[in-house]
Amino acid sequence: MTAALYALRAGKSVMLLEKSAFGGQIAESPLVENIPSIASISGQDYASRVFDQISALGVEFDMDNVTGILKKDGYFLAQGEYSSYEARAIVLATGCRPRKLAIPGEEKFLGKGVSYCAVCDGAFYEGKEVAVIGDANSAIVYALSLSDLCKKVTVCTLFDRFFGEEASVKALLSRPNVEVIHEVSALAFEGSESLESISFQRKDGTSFDLKADGCFVAIGQLPDNGRFEGLVKLDGNGFIIADEGMATATPGIYAAGDCRQKKIRQVVAAESDGAIAALSAIDYLNKLDASQS
């Protein structure tokens, strides 16, 4: 949406394609407190503000899942499940998808106790006991949000510490209904019709069961860029390789945000990528027009 904002302000026509909800991952965050000038806001509210901003500027948008891109004579054809879309330049900002634990019971209890989104499913566990698996910012934010709703939140980490923002960690540790268990790995989700407990293994090899009505998994993200492999280069982890101007291996195609190879994955960094990608695309189009006139 930031890329769309910059392109619209430059007088370009913009089609915004989204397969689920505008805003991507940030829209799923219950609380965002690291955006300059905004002390605290939900990710959904923040995404709505940006969407309203680009809507007022005349962005075109559609809900579709782009499955591939074809390079045609002088333009690109983005192929979706429902339609196809022509463009002379494309910004890929496909983000990531949740990384799964890949343990027994994970698929069985998906939607029946196992979740990857506290914003989406947290309200279902009001007054209940839940677990959060993860040790970085997403897990910490999930746990903070859930502690406002749930009777008890148990945070289970693989390592001996958290890897999130210090202020958020302090806030989490101050919550009386939050318990932290370090250095454990999940072995299986167990229950009958819905999740009842989670089996964990300690560092010393012993195991234990943790009773939980629900479990929120926040152990990182994976890219979903295989569909663009013919036009962009991917690193060993599947992230798009782009230069400082967000340009990929194909002129006219740019990458922005968590889908590209980068060190910092934060909302302000993603927005910066979007702005740079749009400005690079605008420069590409202007030069293209000049060469054809």
Side-chain angles (χ1 to χ4, degrees):
M1 290 195 293
T2 302
L5 173 65
Y6 274 73
L8 288 163
R9 286 175 57 83
K12 305 300 182 184
S13 60
V14 180
M15 167 62 80
L16 180 64
L17 297 173
E18 176 60 67
K19 70 175 181 179
S20 53
F22 293 105
Q25 294 175 68
I26 195 64
E28 297 179 357
S29 180
L31 189 64
V32 184
E33 296 182 321
N34 55 6
I35 298 173
S37 82
I38 302 175
S40 181
I41 191 172
S42 74
Q44 189 171 29
D45 286 344
Y46 185 60
S48 294
R49 286 190 189 185
V50 184
F51 184 72
D52 289 345
Q53 188 176 9
I54 60 175
S55 293
L57 290 172
V59 71
E60 297 179 62
F61 60 89
D62 204 350
M63 303 299 291
D64 203 346
N65 180 32
V66 174
T67 56
I69 297 172
L70 296 177
K71 187 177 180 182
K72 297 286 187 177
D73 235 357
Y75 69 96
F76 299 101
L77 185 68
Q79 296 178 306
E81 292 181 356
Y82 307 108
S83 187
S84 57
Y85 312 85
E86 292 183 7
R88 293 198 301 154
I90 291 178
V91 175
L92 299 174
T94 52
C96 294
R97 53 187 169 82
R99 183 188 297 272
K100 296 187 176 182
L101 290 163
I103 60 175
E106 189 167 14
E107 296 299 327
K108 176 182 177 180
F109 297 116
L110 182 60
K112 300 177 182 178
V114 175
S115 174
Y116 305 94
C117 178
V119 177
C120 315
D121 302 325
F124 295 120
Y125 299 93
E126 185 172 0
K128 298 183 179 181
E129 297 187 5
V130 301
V132 174
I133 297 177
D135 49 29
N137 279 319
S138 293
I140 296 166
V141 171
Y142 278 10
L144 281 168
S145 173
L146 291 165
S147 68
D148 291 330
L149 295 168
C150 302
K151 180 181 178 182
K152 182 180 180 182
V153 179
T154 303
V155 186
C156 303
T157 74
L158 181 62
F159 298 99
D160 62 350
R161 62 190 183 279
F162 287 107
F163 297 91
E165 296 175 352
E166 187 176 348
S168 297
V169 174
K170 286 182 177 178
L172 180 67
L173 297 178
S174 70
R175 299 291 174 95
N177 61 334
V178 171
E179 179 184 356
V180 178
I181 304 177
H182 287 305
E183 296 185 291
V184 294
S185 56
L187 299 176
F189 292 108
E190 299 169 345
S192 52
E193 297 300 315
S194 60
L195 180 68
E196 296 173 7
S197 66
I198 311 157
S199 178
F200 286 96
Q201 185 177 58
R202 300 184 183 91
K203 191 177 180 181
D204 62 9
T206 60
S207 60
F208 68 96
D209 289 336
L210 175 69
K211 289 185 178 181
D213 300 300
C215 180
F216 294 83
V217 180
I219 57 170
Q221 306 285 325
L222 293 171
D224 186 20
N225 298 320
R227 51 196 156 153
F228 310 124
E229 198 166 6
L231 293 172
V232 303
K233 289 183 180 179
L234 306 179
D235 68 10
N237 295 313
F239 292 97
I240 298 172
I241 298 173
D243 66 15
E244 229 176 72
M246 307 300 141
T248 69
T250 298
I253 296 184
Y254 304 85
D258 287 1
C259 68
R260 79 176 186 92
Q261 183 189 64
K262 60 190 301 184
K263 184 176 181 180
I264 304 300
R265 303 185 189 281
Q266 294 287 311
V267 62
V268 289
E271 289 172 333
S272 173
D273 284 2
I276 294 169
L279 292 171
S280 295
I282 291 161
D283 184 59
Y284 166 80
L285 291 174
N286 289 342
K287 287 178 179 177
L288 202 61
D289 290 339
S291 67
Q292 294 173 351
S293 60

